[in-house]
Amino acid sequence: GAVVSQHPSWVICKSGTSVKIECRSLDFQATTMFWYRQFPKQSLMLMATSNEGSKATYEQGVEKDKFLINHASLTLSTLTVTSAHPEDSSFYICSASFQDINSPLHFGNGTRLTVT
Amino acid sequence: QKEVEQNSGPLSVPEGAIASLNCTYSDRGSQSFFWYRQYSGKSPELIMFIYSNGDKEDGRFTAQLNKASQYVSLLIRDSQPSDSATYLCAVGRGGKLIFGQGTELSVKP
């Protein structure tokens, strides 16, 4: 079946540095990928919708200059957390739809970011 | 009012019982409805999706949708300890998937 691969699975970085997270659709082309963030004991919050070949659409309250999203190909989207701070520590999860949004989303394994 | 609401739980049921998880949504225009299971520290995995009013069964799982009441539920029959997890209800809206806060289920042996 369809698989979404996310890398790295965990990362620890120092405050002020940038971290890049990759999300790949392994056996299908994903024109749209979604980036979620999840804090402990909370639900998934949609951060942005990543569209291949165009700018990402960010949800209200998400800083687009801090969370840079690039969707350069039909199988790869990246999220870069710039100038990370401890409050950015969270579980970041990407997802992709095989067809359209009414089709089930397939999730990557997530990236646990810890900013010290 | 939250767009997608679930009881946070925890919901505790004995092994072998039926677990009933509920979800309400606010947007009547929603077209697609999903249930995901999430184990601690892991990403969500799809259990079921439903688009039409009524019931949809898959093994021990049954999803129920009532668009008039804006209500979707998930029944888990013969609950097993391995079913213990957080169950997330998600609703498709405007090209996005909106999640509820999740219900924590605990199945006691």
Side-chain angles (χ1 to χ4, degrees), chain A residues 32 34 36 38 41-44 46 49 57 59 91 93 101-110 112, chain B residues 31-32 34 36 38 41-44 46 49 51 88 92-102 104:
Chain A
T32 303
F34 304 88
Y36 288 85
Q38 187 178 36
K41 298 294 184 182
Q42 296 187 24
S43 188
L44 281 74
L46 180 64
T49 302
T57 303
E59 294 300 302
F91 191 46
I93 315 173
I101 189 53
N102 287 324
S103 300
L105 282 182
H106 302 280
F107 284 90
N109 289 329
R112 176 75 58 190
Chain B
Q31 297 290 324
S32 52
F34 307 87
Y36 286 84
Q38 186 176 28
K42 304 294 185 182
S43 65
L46 180 70
F49 57 92
Y51 301 147
L88 299 167
R93 177 186 65 76
K96 307 174 187 177
L97 204 58
I98 307 300
F99 284 84
Q101 69 269 38
E104 183 181 350

Side-chain angles (χ1 to χ4, degrees), chain A residues 5-34:
Chain A
S5 174
Q6 189 172 340
H7 178 81
S9 57
W10 61 271
V11 59
I12 301 173
C13 70
K14 292 186 176 180
S15 185
T17 61
S18 295
V19 173
K20 179 185 284 188
I21 303 170
E22 292 188 350
C23 180
R24 295 180 184 273
S25 56
L26 295 184
D27 55 2
F28 67 100
Q29 293 182 331
T31 55
T32 303
M33 291 186 177
F34 304 88

